[in-house]
Amino acid sequence: ESATAFGCLVSDMWLGEFDYVSPEAFHSIFEKRYPAFSRRTQHDAQEFLICVLDDLHEAFKEVRAQLQERVSPAAGASTRSLSGTSIITQLFEGQLSYAIRCLTCKALSNRPESFTVLSLPIPSTRVCSLQDCLECFFQPDLLTRNNQIHCYRCGGNQDATVKASITKAPQIIIFHLKRFAWQDKHRRKLSTTVCYPFSDLDLSPYISTLCCNNTEYSLCAVVNHAGDLDYGHYTAFCKHSVTKHWYSFDDAQVTKIPDSEVQADTAYLLFY
């Protein structure tokens, strides 16, 4: 079971008995369930992360449902209502709401959507900030031609505007910087320097007034990608939750690093 293997991996890391810990056992079990993530090919860290979170959610969700049944076998309805939640959803799941307004009759509708990772466009080829990426993601879009909506009030396809806002902010929010993009009919990696804050990341401009969650976040981890489309190397920077020191994880090399090194041009995933 991949959840058990993951638990052993985390336990080994926190026990501190080794200079480094290999995720070999976890990966060998995980790739049996997800053959696409075999050892012989390159993979995307964001896609792998989403699969791991989904897999752990399914495992923990099942355990929670079983425990509920043991405590109260007759409570079928409450068991089913709990089965959609887990420690993964409690920590990582947020919700967006897309406000869609018909430009003909001005009718407004809202479409909710859950997320665990927000994929942010990079609006520059040289230098930009994380706030620039967020502004680009949350700016209103115009839906025309093939993207028209079917308006429930007009009864036909109409041009519309759509604007996203966060209606539920997760405890841990993960940003995926979309470095692999199409340009001039060719897919390539953007090497843009994205400057991101270490603390006081304020998401209130993008959060609905209906949301009462905390809107300020601090950086706790970064996944880096060095290389190009078809080859590369992943490393990570992680902040110790107790000592507040930053560490670099580069295969078998685990080293303490100064805060100044955490801002990197290779950042691919940001955890706040």
Side-chain angles (χ1 to χ4, degrees):
E1 183 67 48
S2 55
T4 303
F6 182 81
C8 292
L9 174 62
V10 173
S11 177
D12 287 344
M13 287 192 291
W14 277 101
L15 284 173
E17 296 178 356
F18 311 100
D19 292 335
Y20 63 91
V21 176
S22 171
E24 190 81 14
F26 168 71
H27 185 262
S28 64
I29 293 174
F30 186 81
E31 71 174 355
K32 290 177 183 176
R33 295 198 60 179
Y34 299 90
F37 294 103
S38 66
R39 303 161 193 268
R40 294 173 291 279
T41 54
Q42 292 283 322
H43 303 293
D44 183 86
Q46 183 240 172
E47 295 174 358
F48 178 72
L49 172 65
I50 290 173
C51 279
V52 170
L53 291 178
D54 286 348
D55 191 58
L56 293 177
H57 166 65
E58 289 300 319
F60 297 147
K61 181 182 71 173
E62 290 170 6
V63 169
R64 184 170 180 175
Q66 289 166 8
L67 289 174
Q68 180 70 15
E69 286 175 357
R70 290 174 189 171
V71 173
S72 179
S78 60
T79 300
R80 285 193 293 273
S81 66
L82 285 173
S83 67
T85 62
S86 70
I87 185 65
I88 302 300
T89 56
Q90 291 168 17
L91 291 176
F92 297 101
E93 187 176 84
Q95 190 170 70
L96 295 172
S97 179
Y98 291 92
I100 304 169
R101 185 177 295 277
C102 173
L103 292 180
T104 301
C105 69
K106 309 304 179 186
L108 181 66
S109 60
N110 288 281
R111 179 169 61 86
E113 182 178 290
S114 297
F115 71 89
T116 51
V117 178
L118 279 186
S119 292
L120 304 181
I122 300 177
S124 171
T125 56
R126 298 186 65 186
V127 180
C128 68
S129 67
L130 180 60
Q131 290 287 5
D132 294 331
C133 299
L134 287 165
E135 286 287 342
C136 189
F137 180 88
F138 285 102
Q139 70 179 0
D141 278 339
L142 183 63
L143 304 178
T144 61
R145 298 182 181 179
N146 293 335
N147 294 320
Q148 285 183 323
I149 66 161
H150 183 81
C151 180
Y152 68 92
R153 184 180 292 176
C154 295
N157 292 340
Q158 304 290 353
D159 290 351
T161 58
V162 57
K163 188 178 188 305
S165 62
I166 298 174
T167 50
K168 177 193 171 190
Q171 291 187 45
I172 301 172
I173 191 164
I174 307 170
F175 298 116
H176 162 232
L177 302 178
K178 296 172 71 173
R179 292 197 176 276
F180 301 103
W182 289 95
Q183 286 193 342
D184 301 325
K185 298 183 180 180
H186 298 286
R187 195 164 182 260
R188 69 184 190 89
K189 182 183 177 184
L190 300 177
S191 56
T192 305
T193 297
V194 179
C195 301
Y196 40 90
F198 288 13
S199 61
D200 303 323
L201 172 66
D202 184 13
L203 295 182
S204 59
Y206 320 110
I207 291 185
S208 166
T209 54
L210 301 175
C211 178
C212 57
N213 301 53
N214 177 38
T215 61
E216 290 197 355
Y217 290 82
S218 295
L219 187 68
C220 59
V222 180
V223 172
N224 303 292
H225 179 268
D228 217 318
L229 277 173
D230 300 319
Y231 68 92
H233 181 59
Y234 284 110
T235 61
F237 301 144
C238 300
K239 188 177 184 179
H240 196 288
S241 60
V242 178
T243 66
K244 307 304 181 185
H245 295 145
W246 282 93
Y247 290 85
S248 169
F249 293 79
D250 185 353
D251 290 343
Q253 299 297 316
V254 181
T255 54
K256 184 179 174 181
I257 59 173
D259 292 4
S260 58
E261 289 187 20
V262 179
Q263 177 69 60
D265 294 347
T266 52
Y268 186 53
L269 296 171
L270 302 171
F271 295 73
Y272 279 88

